[in-house]
Amino acid sequence: MATSRVTYTKEERRAKRSERLALLDRAVEELTSSEAWASWLGVRRHFHAYSWRNQLMIKVQRPMTLAVKGYRQWTGLGRMVRPGSKAIWILAPAPFKTGETDDRGDDVTKLYFKPVPVFAYEDTDQIEGRPVFQIEPPLVDLEGDSHEPALRRLVTWLSGQGVTVLEDEACGSAHGWFLPPSTIGLAARLSPNAKLKTLVHEGSHWLVRQPGQERNWNYAEEEVVVESTAYAVCATIGLETSGYSAGYVANWREQGPEPVDLVAAVDEYATLLEGAIACS
């Protein structure tokens, strides 16, 4: 039996949007603990293609899920959403024409965000005879060379930005260093995988120090951002770096910017570096 589509009044739509935005506020408030920060980093590895706002909304509604997609998207990927599954709500951009025109006679378009439902991977079942959906790349450790091509691509991209990347034979116990304005050293003794993780970390320092982009962060705060960025990028490409600097994360909220500022910065830098690794 077919069911009719539910329609909402303008006031009801506004109320639902406010309800979803309240979820985002709640998620931001939860980031004032180191455990919640680490939890968000874990969520981001699965949802790096989403905006950081939607990452937080997914985290607060279904923190342990491995993937979310719309009903039809899951069907297209060979998985069926189980009847009765509870939706996860995120915000999707919805441009609309105002009916006005600008000085050139073009239609004026504005953007608002509307709540849309997605469903967790755990609430879907494989459709028989369809290819299996791969959630994420398999994790590998830092001792190998599986990600050496990614390392080369990132070096190439940074070089194109005017950054000099050196191998340091006398790096001591350090894994690498950043010398402003644009020189990065990597310990020659490291494996290619470890060099990649270190290069993302030091490359994040370079991004933080870009002219006009400087942040009013102290040393510990900047380390939280760059180490979290390194963790996020490596998790996205399947490189296991769970031993990252937890001590910095544990103290990150003692004195510093609001959680939303740190989340936005990490997501911005990680997205940029992930693109460089994938496309250089």
Side-chain angles (χ1 to χ4, degrees):
M1 177 178 179
T3 57
S4 59
R5 181 178 180 180
V6 177
T7 59
Y8 297 102
T9 66
K10 184 177 181 179
E11 289 72 21
E12 288 172 330
R13 289 196 301 270
R14 184 181 295 114
K16 286 185 174 294
R17 189 159 58 248
S18 297
E19 178 185 335
R20 304 310 167 190
L21 287 171
L23 283 175
L24 179 58
D25 291 339
R26 174 182 155 198
V28 170
E29 289 176 1
E30 288 184 357
L31 286 177
T32 55
S33 74
S34 58
E35 293 80 6
W37 179 260
S39 175
W40 169 67
L41 288 173
V43 166
R44 190 192 180 279
R45 72 187 302 167
H46 303 294
F47 305 110
H48 56 91
Y50 288 80
S51 72
W52 62 264
R53 293 175 179 83
N54 279 334
Q55 292 167 16
L56 289 177
M57 292 184 72
I58 293 168
K59 172 186 173 296
V60 78
Q61 294 174 83
R62 196 73 177 270
M64 301 305 293
T65 186
L66 298 176
V68 299
K69 296 187 183 296
Y71 186 96
R72 291 179 180 175
Q73 286 179 301
W74 278 127
T75 302
L77 291 170
R79 300 192 67 85
M80 181 62 66
V81 177
R82 297 188 198 107
S85 296
K86 184 178 180 180
I88 299 166
W89 291 89
I90 61 175
L91 297 173
F96 67 97
K97 294 181 179 180
T98 64
E100 302 174 349
T101 56
D102 58 23
D103 295 339
R104 298 177 299 180
D106 296 328
D107 292 329
V108 174
T109 301
K110 291 188 176 180
L111 185 69
Y112 81 101
F113 290 83
K114 66 177 182 180
V116 296
V118 292
F119 296 89
Y121 168 81
E122 293 79 8
D123 291 334
T124 67
D125 294 309
Q126 179 71 29
I127 299 174
E128 187 175 354
R130 298 287 299 277
V132 176
F133 171 67
Q134 297 295 330
I135 296 179
E136 61 179 348
L139 290 175
V140 297
D141 60 39
L142 288 176
E143 294 304 317
D145 60 2
S146 58
H147 287 66
E148 188 169 12
L151 171 63
R152 291 196 300 267
R153 288 194 292 269
L154 185 52
V155 170
T156 298
W157 182 81
L158 286 168
S159 297
Q161 306 301 312
V163 178
T164 300
V165 180
L166 306 173
E167 292 225 352
D168 190 346
E169 296 285 352
C171 208
S173 60
H175 286 185
W177 45 264
F178 169 64
L179 179 65
S182 56
T183 304
I184 292 174
L186 303 176
R189 70 179 186 279
L190 298 178
S191 68
N193 286 357
K195 286 178 182 175
L196 175 58
K197 185 269 178 185
T198 302
L199 185 56
V200 174
H201 177 109
E202 303 302 341
S204 299
H205 276 299
W206 171 73
L207 287 171
V208 170
R209 308 291 184 86
Q210 286 299 286
Q213 301 295 320
E214 298 91 342
R215 316 274 183 151
N216 188 28
W217 294 333
N218 60 34
Y219 174 78
E221 292 159 0
E222 183 173 326
E223 280 297 312
V224 168
V225 170
V226 300
E227 191 63 28
S228 295
T229 299
Y231 178 85
V233 171
C234 290
T236 296
I237 63 175
L239 189 58
E240 177 56 62
T241 62
S242 57
Y244 74 105
S245 303
Y248 283 118
V249 174
N251 296 316
W252 75 273
R253 191 64 180 93
E254 293 299 317
Q255 50 176 354
E258 291 300 311
V260 67
D261 295 328
L262 291 181
V263 169
V266 170
D267 194 58
E268 174 189 346
Y269 300 147
T271 299
L272 180 61
L273 292 172
E274 287 162 355
I277 288 171
C279 302
S280 296

